[in-house]
Amino acid sequence: MQNNTIPTLIIGLIFAGLVGFGLYLYQMQVNNEARYQCAQSSRYLTRSADGVEVWYPVADMYTKCLKDKGL
């Protein structure tokens, strides 16, 4: 019975590590999506006379959005 303890412990630790790493990746993806949404919602467009479009970020709106999302 004691011979199965160490392999079981190792498998358990590997499983726990994989679950932890998966949760870390999920949280990173959620944070990146929130940052992307804030970047999309806090920008404005200007057009020059020759038709060139330029998007500019609005820093204070972006910062407020991130704060509202808890980042």
Side-chain angles (χ1 to χ4, degrees), residues 35 37-46 54-66:
R35 291 177 191 282
Q37 289 176 2
C38 287
Q40 292 297 312
S41 66
S42 63
R43 63 184 185 159
Y44 65 93
L45 170 70
T46 60
V54 179
W55 291 93
Y56 290 99
V58 181
D60 56 339
M61 287 176 60
Y62 178 73
T63 304
K64 182 181 181 317
C65 180
L66 289 178

Side-chain angles (χ1 to χ4, degrees), residues 2-65:
Q2 195 172 12
N3 293 338
N4 293 337
T5 304
I6 292 177
T8 303
L9 180 63
I10 291 171
I11 291 171
L13 289 173
I14 290 171
F15 180 73
L18 289 173
V19 169
F21 185 65
L23 290 174
Y24 169 76
L25 290 178
Y26 176 75
Q27 184 62 39
M28 189 184 323
Q29 179 64 28
V30 169
N31 286 346
N32 286 339
E33 180 63 26
R35 291 177 191 282
Y36 174 76
Q37 289 176 2
C38 287
Q40 292 297 312
S41 66
S42 63
R43 63 184 185 159
Y44 65 93
L45 170 70
T46 60
R47 285 194 181 105
S48 64
D50 58 357
V52 175
E53 295 181 351
V54 179
W55 291 93
Y56 290 99
V58 181
D60 56 339
M61 287 176 60
Y62 178 73
T63 304
K64 182 181 181 317
C65 180

